[in-house]
Amino acid sequence: MVLEAIALGFSTGTYCTMYCAPVLVPFLFCSKKDGFTRNAALTGIFLGSRLLTYFILGIILSCLGLLAGEFFDPSFARKLSYYAYILCGISLLFNSRCSHGCRFEKLSNDYATAVITGLSVGLHICPPLWTAMFRTMNGGKTGFLYMIFFYVGSLPYFIPYLGIPFAAIKVPSLKRVARVTKILLAFYYIFFVGLIPLVF
């Protein structure tokens, strides 16, 4: 089971990293303080929050087993994804617009944003995650381990994110582009893939 989960994560890891890239890349480029250590910490917090989401999903699905299939269908997953997009967009927007003295400063700092976006991205149920979830349902009480090792298998593809501080130093204009991208992405997540599909 462990090898299968790692292999699934590794073979679909490019999908996972591309799914996270629109959120993580502009966020890291726009970090309020530059530096490799801070970048690594924010990436780790983001990935750790995403792991927490997977861990919680794994516990729920392994405890419920096949009963989870009764309520965790594609329609439910889509609605969950809409709320996750809205939460992610709001977090990115606060992080983009708030500066020192902002009313939402505690929620908008880089570390809080890394936690909130990591948790919300973990709720975007992509095809590889669907596969891991259904294997978890069939794994009995230890099925949640499948989700963890699936996640571990995808981690090598996130190593390039550690190079973002060096890219920001070499091409300073990327920081300005990332700033605009983050604001546009926030509105896109809140309205176009969040509220509009949810309401209409």
Side-chain angles (χ1 to χ4, degrees):
M1 180 184 78
V2 171
L3 289 177
E4 180 192 324
I6 292 173
L8 177 63
F10 188 74
S11 63
T12 60
T14 51
Y15 194 103
C16 293
T17 192
M18 286 190 296
Y19 218 62
C20 294
V23 175
L24 197 51
V25 171
F27 166 62
L28 290 175
F29 267 110
C30 294
S31 173
K32 290 167 186 172
K33 291 181 183 176
D34 293 322
F36 176 79
T37 303
R38 186 178 176 85
N39 180 85
L42 291 173
T43 304
I45 291 168
F46 175 89
L47 293 175
S49 300
R50 190 167 151 252
L51 174 60
L52 179 61
T53 304
Y54 283 17
F55 181 78
I56 292 168
L57 283 173
I59 290 287
I60 293 170
L61 295 172
S62 62
C63 288
L64 292 176
L66 294 175
L67 288 174
E70 294 295 320
F71 67 88
F72 209 90
D73 57 18
S75 176
F76 176 78
R78 276 195 301 274
K79 287 182 181 177
L80 193 63
S81 200
Y82 298 152
Y83 289 113
Y85 276 123
I86 293 168
L87 179 63
C88 187
I90 290 171
S91 180
L92 289 174
L93 190 60
F94 281 167
N95 185 254
S96 301
R97 303 304 299 165
C98 286
S99 57
H100 185 71
C102 172
R103 183 180 176 184
F104 300 103
E105 190 180 353
K106 288 184 179 178
L107 286 174
S108 70
N109 72 62
D110 287 342
Y111 294 106
T113 302
V115 171
I116 295 168
T117 55
L119 289 170
S120 58
V121 166
L123 290 174
H124 299 162
I125 314 296
C126 61
L129 183 54
W130 265 116
T131 305
M133 284 165 56
F134 279 106
R135 291 291 289 126
T136 299
M137 289 180 204
N138 291 292
K141 297 297 182 184
T142 59
F144 72 94
L145 292 173
Y146 194 96
M147 292 290 283
I148 294 172
F149 286 109
F150 162 75
Y151 181 82
V152 168
S154 70
L155 287 180
Y157 295 96
F158 288 89
I159 293 173
Y161 289 109
L162 299 178
I164 284 178
F166 306 109
I169 291 169
K170 291 286 186 184
V171 190
S173 59
L174 287 175
K175 210 171 179 71
R176 292 192 293 273
V177 172
R179 220 171 269 126
V180 174
T181 302
K182 188 165 65 165
I183 294 171
L184 293 174
L185 188 69
F187 281 106
Y188 176 74
Y189 278 176
I190 293 168
F191 295 103
F192 292 97
V193 291
L195 288 173
I196 291 174
L198 188 62
V199 175
F200 299 103

PDB file of all heavy atoms in Angstrom, residues 101 120 145:
ATOM      1  N   GLY A 101      -0.748  48.173   9.904  1.00  0.00           N
ATOM      2  CA  GLY A 101      -1.850  48.953  10.446  1.00  0.00           C
ATOM      3  C   GLY A 101      -3.199  48.567   9.873  1.00  0.00           C
ATOM      4  O   GLY A 101      -4.228  49.090  10.293  1.00  0.00           O
ATOM      5  N   SER A 120      -6.963  25.580   1.839  1.00  0.00           N
ATOM      6  CA  SER A 120      -8.008  25.677   0.813  1.00  0.00           C
ATOM      7  C   SER A 120      -7.617  24.949  -0.473  1.00  0.00           C
ATOM      8  O   SER A 120      -8.459  24.296  -1.099  1.00  0.00           O
ATOM      9  CB  SER A 120      -8.352  27.141   0.519  1.00  0.00           C
ATOM     10  OG  SER A 120      -7.223  27.855   0.107  1.00  0.00           O
ATOM     11  N   LEU A 145      -3.266   6.442   5.954  1.00  0.00           N
ATOM     12  CA  LEU A 145      -1.843   6.441   5.625  1.00  0.00           C
ATOM     13  C   LEU A 145      -1.630   6.553   4.120  1.00  0.00           C
ATOM     14  O   LEU A 145      -0.617   7.087   3.667  1.00  0.00           O
ATOM     15  CB  LEU A 145      -1.173   5.172   6.157  1.00  0.00           C
ATOM     16  CG  LEU A 145      -1.077   5.059   7.679  1.00  0.00           C
ATOM     17  CD1 LEU A 145      -0.555   3.691   8.074  1.00  0.00           C
ATOM     18  CD2 LEU A 145      -0.191   6.162   8.240  1.00  0.00           C
TER      19      LEU A 145
END
